[in-house]
Amino acid sequence: GLAGAGWLYLRREKERRRRQRRLRDLRALALGQGDFQLQDTSGTPRSRADLLGRWVLLYFGFTHCPDVCPEELEKLCRAVELLEAVPGLPPVQPLFITVDPARDDAAALGRYLRDFHPRLQGLTGTAEQVRAAAGAFRVYVSAGPPDPDGDYVVDHSVLTFLLGPDGLVRDCYGRSRTAEELAKSVRGHMESY
């Protein structure tokens, strides 16, 4: 029994140290430390300060994305649902920031996001405002050439960011992570916060 307890302690301690190293690395990159000025789907101005005090899962994407963005939003929202099912955990705010403000105005975002999660918020703004927000998180964005119908694809980084109540990026997740892995990681960050 004592050996088992010792093993569990060492395992938790190793995970805690791994999280601390990851957080140090993310802070060194200065991810998400800049402010942004955007608008939500009702036209209300929003900034980074509005996120303080809450856990946030943030994804940058666009509503005309054929497959990646919807898959990532479904995964993000599924992770939020898994976390909501755990009693005693603080709520996580799912957040989507468009990288295509030319097509994703507040109304378009509102229509698109209502199919994912009832608390999923969307933010948009001018091209300069969106570029500044993406730049603060070092999200790559590049609009492709339009086809004859004027449609185009926006190439962008596919990352989901976890922001802590202090507003700092606590972790970021690539496309290969599952909703269950996201939820487990977020829960670990909450418990060690």
Side-chain angles (χ1 to χ4, degrees):
L2 186 58
W7 179 80
L8 282 175
Y9 170 77
L10 290 174
R11 188 171 138 197
R12 284 190 191 124
E13 186 62 20
K14 182 180 177 182
E15 180 62 22
R16 186 185 66 77
R17 284 190 198 132
R18 187 194 65 76
R19 278 197 189 101
Q20 285 179 336
R21 273 193 312 276
R22 176 106 166 123
L23 187 56
R24 237 186 351 262
D25 293 345
L26 289 172
R27 285 190 179 148
L29 292 173
L31 281 178
Q33 294 186 19
D35 197 10
F36 58 79
Q37 303 297 321
L38 299 169
Q39 298 83 42
D40 66 17
T41 55
S42 64
T44 304
R46 298 289 177 195
S47 71
R48 183 179 179 80
D50 294 312
L51 305 178
L52 294 176
R54 299 186 281 174
W55 289 93
V56 177
L57 275 173
L58 165 63
Y59 180 75
F60 286 84
F62 64 109
T63 64
H64 287 76
C65 182
D67 51 10
V68 175
C69 293
E71 289 170 4
E72 290 300 299
L73 281 176
E74 285 176 11
K75 180 171 58 176
L76 182 151
C77 292
R78 176 69 184 135
V80 170
E81 290 169 356
L82 291 168
L83 291 162
E84 288 173 337
V86 179
L89 285 183
V92 175
Q93 175 61 57
L95 182 63
F96 176 85
I97 297 179
T98 185
V99 295
D100 185 16
R103 294 184 291 187
D104 293 345
D105 62 10
L109 273 180
R111 285 189 303 273
Y112 180 74
L113 297 178
R114 68 176 164 225
D115 293 332
F116 291 97
H117 190 280
R119 289 190 303 104
L120 177 59
Q121 291 182 351
L123 299 178
T124 189
T126 66
E128 294 78 23
Q129 289 172 323
V130 168
R131 199 171 19 259
F137 288 86
R138 297 198 180 186
V139 170
Y140 165 80
V141 179
S142 177
D147 66 15
D149 296 326
D151 195 21
Y152 56 92
V153 174
V154 180
D155 187 25
H156 63 90
S157 305
V158 181
L159 293 170
T160 298
F161 298 93
L162 172 64
L163 281 63
D166 55 5
L168 297 177
V169 173
R170 309 305 274 178
D171 215 335
C172 64
Y173 310 102
R175 192 166 178 209
S176 64
R177 301 293 284 278
T178 66
E180 291 75 18
E181 290 170 332
L182 256 69
K184 182 180 178 183
S185 175
V186 171
R187 186 174 178 180
H189 283 286
M190 289 176 167
E191 290 169 353
S192 65
Y193 182 72

